[in-house]
């Protein structure tokens, strides 16, 4: 998955949607590496995998630790998609329509 796709996924799964779901990625818990990655991408601090790996591990995007962390975040975001109900009050009309197709 390209970094741009990961950013789009994070922007689609906003912190407001995460607040009501019991998952490991929770807004405000900055002490975990996965939340540092999520927050950095969602706030635009990380423009690429290289930026994220440098900030979190002082390494590059080829570092195995960064790759594992990134994959964990992707898996959790995909799982969240299935937990967010189509009638969630914070869904836009567009998102509700798309989820029904």
């Amino acid at each position: 998955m390209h970094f741009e796709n990961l950013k789009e996924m994070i922007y689609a799964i906003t912190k407001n949607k995460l607040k009501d779901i019991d998952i490991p990625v929770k807004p405000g818990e900055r002490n975990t590496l996965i939340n540092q990655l999520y927050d950095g991408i969602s706030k635009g601090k990380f423009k690429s995998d290289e930026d994220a790996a440098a900030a979190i591990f002082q390494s590059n995007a080829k570092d195995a630790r960064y790759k594992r962390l990134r994959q964990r975040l992707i898996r959790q975001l995909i799982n969240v998609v299935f937990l967010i109900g189509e009638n969630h009050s914070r869904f836009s009309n567009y998102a509700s329509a798309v989820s029904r197709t």
Side-chain angles (χ1 to χ4, degrees), residues 26-58:
K26 290 215 175 218
E29 293 180 4
R30 300 188 195 288
N31 57 342
T32 66
L33 295 176
I34 200 162
N35 283 303
Q36 288 177 29
L37 181 58
Y38 177 90
D39 284 344
I41 295 171
S42 69
K43 293 178 181 176
K45 282 178 27 181
F46 305 147
K47 303 294 183 199
S48 68
D49 283 313
E50 289 296 328
D51 292 345
I56 296 172
F57 292 110
Q58 294 74 44

Side-chain angles (χ1 to χ4, degrees), residues 14-83:
T14 64
K15 287 187 177 189
N16 286 333
K17 292 175 186 162
L18 292 175
K19 285 179 186 173
D20 297 332
I21 300 170
D22 185 25
I23 58 164
V25 178
K26 290 215 175 218
E29 293 180 4
R30 300 188 195 288
N31 57 342
T32 66
L33 295 176
I34 200 162
N35 283 303
Q36 288 177 29
L37 181 58
Y38 177 90
D39 284 344
I41 295 171
S42 69
K43 293 178 181 176
K45 282 178 27 181
F46 305 147
K47 303 294 183 199
S48 68
D49 283 313
E50 289 296 328
D51 292 345
I56 296 172
F57 292 110
Q58 294 74 44
S59 186
N60 62 38
K62 294 180 182 180
D63 185 314
R65 296 171 299 165
Y66 176 72
K67 287 180 178 182
R68 280 191 304 271
L69 178 66
R70 187 179 187 278
Q71 281 306 114
R72 241 178 76 217
L73 176 60
I74 290 169
R75 274 194 314 271
Q76 288 182 3
L77 290 170
I78 289 170
N79 289 336
V80 166
V81 169
F82 295 107
L83 296 174

Side-chain angles (χ1 to χ4, degrees), residues 7 26 28 54 61 92 94:
K7 281 180 15 182
K26 290 215 175 218
S92 67
Y94 173 78

